[in-house]
PDB file of all heavy atoms in Angstrom:
ATOM      1  N   TYR B 623     109.414  40.991 190.347  1.00 78.00           N
ATOM      2  CA  TYR B 623     109.816  41.797 189.214  1.00 78.00           C
ATOM      3  C   TYR B 623     111.277  41.539 188.881  1.00 78.00           C
ATOM      4  O   TYR B 623     112.136  41.553 189.754  1.00 78.00           O
ATOM      5  CB  TYR B 623     109.597  43.275 189.523  1.00 78.00           C
ATOM      6  CG  TYR B 623     110.058  44.186 188.434  1.00 78.00           C
ATOM      7  CD1 TYR B 623     109.371  44.250 187.228  1.00 78.00           C
ATOM      8  CD2 TYR B 623     111.199  44.978 188.593  1.00 78.00           C
ATOM      9  CE1 TYR B 623     109.786  45.078 186.216  1.00 78.00           C
ATOM     10  CE2 TYR B 623     111.620  45.798 187.582  1.00 78.00           C
ATOM     11  CZ  TYR B 623     110.910  45.854 186.395  1.00 78.00           C
ATOM     12  OH  TYR B 623     111.339  46.674 185.390  1.00 78.00           O
ATOM     13  N   ASN B 624     111.529  41.256 187.625  1.00 75.00           N
ATOM     14  CA  ASN B 624     112.889  41.032 187.135  1.00 75.00           C
ATOM     15  C   ASN B 624     113.542  39.788 187.746  1.00 75.00           C
ATOM     16  O   ASN B 624     114.764  39.694 187.827  1.00 75.00           O
ATOM     17  CB  ASN B 624     113.771  42.249 187.400  1.00 75.00           C
ATOM     18  CG  ASN B 624     114.698  42.508 186.236  1.00 75.00           C
ATOM     19  OD1 ASN B 624     114.424  42.128 185.100  1.00 75.00           O
ATOM     20  ND2 ASN B 624     115.813  43.136 186.514  1.00 75.00           N
ATOM     21  N   ASP B 625     112.739  38.859 188.208  1.00 78.00           N
ATOM     22  CA  ASP B 625     113.231  37.601 188.770  1.00 78.00           C
ATOM     23  C   ASP B 625     112.462  36.494 188.073  1.00 78.00           C
ATOM     24  O   ASP B 625     111.237  36.521 188.040  1.00 78.00           O
ATOM     25  CB  ASP B 625     112.982  37.585 190.275  1.00 78.00           C
ATOM     26  CG  ASP B 625     113.631  36.383 190.943  1.00 78.00           C
ATOM     27  OD1 ASP B 625     113.587  35.276 190.379  1.00 78.00           O
ATOM     28  OD2 ASP B 625     114.167  36.567 192.055  1.00 78.00           O
ATOM     29  N   TYR B 626     113.178  35.540 187.516  1.00 79.00           N
ATOM     30  CA  TYR B 626     112.518  34.580 186.646  1.00 79.00           C
ATOM     31  C   TYR B 626     112.074  33.303 187.323  1.00 79.00           C
ATOM     32  O   TYR B 626     111.418  32.477 186.714  1.00 79.00           O
ATOM     33  CB  TYR B 626     113.445  34.256 185.469  1.00 79.00           C
ATOM     34  CG  TYR B 626     113.799  35.495 184.684  1.00 79.00           C
ATOM     35  CD1 TYR B 626     115.016  36.139 184.869  1.00 79.00           C
ATOM     36  CD2 TYR B 626     112.888  36.055 183.802  1.00 79.00           C
ATOM     37  CE1 TYR B 626     115.316  37.292 184.171  1.00 79.00           C
ATOM     38  CE2 TYR B 626     113.181  37.201 183.105  1.00 79.00           C
ATOM     39  CZ  TYR B 626     114.397  37.820 183.289  1.00 79.00           C
ATOM     40  OH  TYR B 626     114.699  38.962 182.605  1.00 79.00           O
ATOM     41  N   LYS B 627     112.438  33.110 188.583  1.00 88.00           N
ATOM     42  CA  LYS B 627     112.059  31.863 189.220  1.00 88.00           C
ATOM     43  C   LYS B 627     110.715  31.995 189.916  1.00 88.00           C
ATOM     44  O   LYS B 627     110.319  33.070 190.339  1.00 88.00           O
ATOM     45  CB  LYS B 627     113.108  31.435 190.240  1.00 88.00           C
ATOM     46  CG  LYS B 627     113.218  32.321 191.466  1.00 88.00           C
ATOM     47  CD  LYS B 627     114.244  31.764 192.425  1.00 88.00           C
ATOM     48  CE  LYS B 627     114.320  32.618 193.674  1.00 88.00           C
ATOM     49  NZ  LYS B 627     114.957  33.916 193.412  1.00 88.00           N
ATOM     50  N   LEU B 628     110.023  30.866 189.992  1.00 91.00           N
ATOM     51  CA  LEU B 628     108.789  30.769 190.756  1.00 91.00           C
ATOM     52  C   LEU B 628     109.107  30.125 192.096  1.00 91.00           C
ATOM     53  O   LEU B 628     109.821  29.129 192.147  1.00 91.00           O
ATOM     54  CB  LEU B 628     107.769  29.894 190.029  1.00 91.00           C
ATOM     55  CG  LEU B 628     106.936  30.510 188.906  1.00 91.00           C
ATOM     56  CD1 LEU B 628     106.029  29.456 188.307  1.00 91.00           C
ATOM     57  CD2 LEU B 628     106.108  31.668 189.427  1.00 91.00           C
ATOM     58  N   SER B 629     108.548  30.692 193.165  1.00 94.00           N
ATOM     59  CA  SER B 629     108.647  30.069 194.482  1.00 94.00           C
ATOM     60  C   SER B 629     107.289  29.466 194.803  1.00 94.00           C
ATOM     61  O   SER B 629     106.285  30.188 194.851  1.00 94.00           O
ATOM     62  CB  SER B 629     109.038  31.103 195.537  1.00 94.00           C
ATOM     63  OG  SER B 629     110.367  31.515 195.345  1.00 94.00           O
ATOM     64  N   PHE B 630     107.268  28.176 195.000  1.00 96.00           N
ATOM     65  CA  PHE B 630     106.025  27.446 195.207  1.00 96.00           C
ATOM     66  C   PHE B 630     105.764  27.188 196.689  1.00 96.00           C
ATOM     67  O   PHE B 630     106.693  27.024 197.487  1.00 96.00           O
ATOM     68  CB  PHE B 630     106.088  26.081 194.503  1.00 96.00           C
ATOM     69  CG  PHE B 630     105.976  26.149 193.007  1.00 96.00           C
ATOM     70  CD1 PHE B 630     107.096  26.354 192.220  1.00 96.00           C
ATOM     71  CD2 PHE B 630     104.751  25.972 192.385  1.00 96.00           C
ATOM     72  CE1 PHE B 630     107.000  26.400 190.830  1.00 96.00           C
ATOM     73  CE2 PHE B 630     104.634  26.000 190.998  1.00 96.00           C
ATOM     74  CZ  PHE B 630     105.764  26.225 190.231  1.00 96.00           C
ATOM     75  N   GLY B 631     104.470  27.100 197.021  1.00 96.00           N
ATOM     76  CA  GLY B 631     104.087  26.587 198.319  1.00 96.00           C
ATOM     77  C   GLY B 631     104.204  25.069 198.310  1.00 96.00           C
ATOM     78  O   GLY B 631     104.562  24.468 197.291  1.00 96.00           O
ATOM     79  N   ALA B 632     103.862  24.449 199.430  1.00 96.00           N
ATOM     80  CA  ALA B 632     104.005  22.994 199.551  1.00 96.00           C
ATOM     81  C   ALA B 632     102.868  22.235 198.885  1.00 96.00           C
ATOM     82  O   ALA B 632     102.948  21.017 198.719  1.00 96.00           O
ATOM     83  CB  ALA B 632     104.102  22.599 201.018  1.00 96.00           C
ATOM     84  N   GLY B 633     101.806  22.945 198.509  1.00 97.00           N
ATOM     85  CA  GLY B 633     100.713  22.306 197.799  1.00 97.00           C
ATOM     86  C   GLY B 633      99.592  21.827 198.701  1.00 97.00           C
ATOM     87  O   GLY B 633      99.806  21.515 199.881  1.00 97.00           O
ATOM     88  N   THR B 634      98.393  21.781 198.130  1.00 98.00           N
ATOM     89  CA  THR B 634      97.214  21.247 198.816  1.00 98.00           C
ATOM     90  C   THR B 634      96.621  20.149 197.943  1.00 98.00           C
ATOM     91  O   THR B 634      96.320  20.391 196.767  1.00 98.00           O
ATOM     92  CB  THR B 634      96.149  22.342 199.044  1.00 98.00           C
ATOM     93  OG1 THR B 634      96.689  23.370 199.859  1.00 98.00           O
ATOM     94  CG2 THR B 634      94.911  21.743 199.704  1.00 98.00           C
ATOM     95  N   THR B 635      96.477  18.963 198.513  1.00 97.00           N
ATOM     96  CA  THR B 635      95.897  17.852 197.768  1.00 97.00           C
ATOM     97  C   THR B 635      94.378  17.915 197.882  1.00 97.00           C
ATOM     98  O   THR B 635      93.834  17.888 198.985  1.00 97.00           O
ATOM     99  CB  THR B 635      96.390  16.502 198.312  1.00 97.00           C
ATOM    100  OG1 THR B 635      97.810  16.448 198.196  1.00 97.00           O
ATOM    101  CG2 THR B 635      95.770  15.353 197.525  1.00 97.00           C
TER     102      THR B 635
END
Side-chain angles (χ1 to χ4, degrees):
Chain B
Y623 177 71
N624 219 25
D625 187 319
Y626 301 100
K627 68 178 182 288
L628 278 178
S629 290
F630 287 86
T634 299
T635 300

